[in-house]
Amino acid sequence: IIDTFADLRVQKKEKEDDMLNSCFICSIDRAEFDRHAFGFHHHVMFEHNTWNYVYLLAHLHSKPRTEMTGVEDYLRERVASSDLSF
């Protein structure tokens, strides 16, 4: 039981480190961004803000298909086929 809790703690720490040190969207490490002018924080807050992607997926889900633009329709098709490489 003790080993199980220790393993769970290690897994939790690894996940937290990953969230703090790499971009969720593009998986580029913090160190790479911190070498440039704007840094990691700017990247994850303004260039790859995770919530913007959540809002996009919600928008695609709620908008009637007949009212979608070409780009929205393309993204909806990609999401429907589990292709999130866009």
Side-chain angles (χ1 to χ4, degrees):
I1 294 178
I2 294 173
D3 288 337
T4 302
F5 285 122
D7 290 341
L8 290 173
R9 259 193 313 274
V10 168
Q11 289 175 358
K12 181 181 176 192
K13 177 75 171 123
E14 288 173 353
K15 286 179 186 177
E16 289 172 352
D17 288 344
D18 190 49
M19 288 190 316
L20 293 173
N21 295 308
S22 68
C23 175
F24 178 74
I25 305 301
C26 66
S27 300
I28 297 175
D29 290 335
R30 172 186 287 271
E32 183 68 29
F33 291 110
D34 287 342
R35 283 186 230 148
H36 302 289
F38 295 111
F40 181 74
H41 179 73
H42 179 271
H43 177 76
V44 297
M45 294 305 295
F46 298 104
E47 296 174 21
H48 279 166
N49 187 318
T50 306
W51 285 108
N52 289 342
Y53 287 86
V54 172
Y55 298 144
L56 173 63
L57 294 175
H59 171 75
L60 294 174
H61 181 72
S62 65
K63 189 171 184 177
R65 192 154 196 176
T66 57
E67 296 177 15
M68 288 189 169
T69 65
V71 172
E72 290 170 332
D73 192 46
Y74 170 79
L75 292 175
R76 184 180 179 134
E77 286 295 320
R78 297 289 66 75
V79 171
S81 66
S82 299
D83 177 7
L84 302 178
S85 63
F86 57 87

